[in-house]
Amino acid sequence: MAERLRDYMAEAGPGALTQYLRTRAGSTGRYLLEQLPQWSLGFVPGLPGIVLRSLGYRWLFGRGSAAPVVEAGVEFFHMNLIFLGKSVYVDRGARLHASRAAITVGACCRIMRGAYLCSYVSNAAPGEGISLGPRCWIGINAVLASGRGGLTLGENVLVGPGAICVTGDHDFRRADLASLDQEYLGRPIGIGDNVWIGAGAVVLGGVTVGDRAVIAAGAVVTRDVPAGEVVGGVPARTIATVEGK
């Protein structure tokens, strides 16, 4: 039976613990396997903590993952569906929450303080999670969310502080249903290489951003951005090109 948002909004009862664990790991055993090291090592400060987490976490991530550099206070859920390239750095307070829609982080990516990468939704689909190419920078408190549709960043993408890229939406046209029962839909987001997404910008599902495009701070992007264009405003429109025209 497919999960619904309503399933997460019920009063506490006998099934609440099972529901909670399902959001965090594939099974109770897997939950304990992943969380015990985080409970014991997750808040060890400084270089000793980084070394201990590198050694203690690596084998919990998806097959073929390299050892990451993880600061104190980082949270990981469904770790076996998080795949990390070489030399990935995750700053304090970040959370990576995967699901059957996996999260893949390319080599040399930097996920900064408080950033949230989430592919967990009630109807997450394999192959429609989050994929970061090599050398992406995910800024402070940025949010990348996709469990439906798929969110892909190319190489050398810069995501500014507080920026949001989210593929999902609720089928609000079904006015005959309560909001909790409306289907959660997803449309893909594709971000090209060498793109800069400014602070507080929002990129919505169904958008493709071409190589070397720039999204100005605070913009809300609802349609495709051609390569090399600078867009800004709500909704975003072209205001310049990277060549200065």
Side-chain angles (χ1 to χ4, degrees), residues 33-244:
L33 185 67
E34 294 182 1
Q35 293 304 309
L36 284 172
Q38 295 189 65
W39 296 338
S40 59
L41 304 176
F43 291 91
V44 179
L47 286 175
I50 288 173
V51 172
L52 289 171
R53 286 184 288 274
S54 179
L55 297 172
Y57 290 5
R58 178 179 180 178
W59 61 282
L60 296 170
F61 291 110
R63 187 183 300 274
S65 291
V69 176
V70 179
E71 297 282 5
V74 174
E75 295 180 292
F76 298 102
F77 298 112
H78 288 276
M79 293 178 75
N80 60 310
L81 291 162
I82 299 173
F83 299 88
L84 303 178
K86 295 180 179 179
S87 302
V88 169
Y89 173 82
V90 187
D91 203 356
R92 292 180 65 94
R95 173 187 277 196
L96 278 69
H97 191 166
S99 67
R100 52 185 172 266
I103 295 175
T104 301
V105 180
C108 302
C109 285
R110 304 292 183 256
I111 299 172
M112 303 312 293
R113 191 182 186 107
Y116 184 31
L117 277 63
C118 181
S119 70
Y120 194 94
V121 294
S122 59
N123 59 347
E128 298 186 18
I130 299 168
S131 179
L132 277 58
R135 297 174 302 280
C136 289
W137 179 282
I138 310 302
I140 295 170
N141 295 327
V143 175
L144 306 183
S146 175
R148 298 284 293 187
L151 170 56
T152 303
L153 276 62
E155 300 182 3
N156 311 317
V157 175
L158 306 178
V159 179
I164 299 172
C165 299
V166 56
T167 62
D169 196 1
H170 291 275
D171 188 6
F172 59 86
R173 295 176 181 84
R174 288 295 307 273
D176 57 313
L177 298 175
S179 59
L180 299 182
D181 297 319
Q182 292 170 345
E183 184 178 3
Y184 187 79
L185 308 172
R187 295 184 296 158
I189 293 175
I191 309 293
D193 298 337
N194 300 294
V195 170
W196 178 15
I197 301 175
V202 177
V203 181
L204 299 178
V207 167
T208 298
V209 180
D211 295 347
R212 296 194 179 278
V214 176
I215 299 171
V220 177
V221 183
T222 60
R223 59 184 63 183
D224 291 351
V225 179
E229 291 200 356
V230 182
V231 300
V234 182
R237 60 180 180 80
T238 300
I239 57 177
T241 66
V242 295
E243 286 83 11

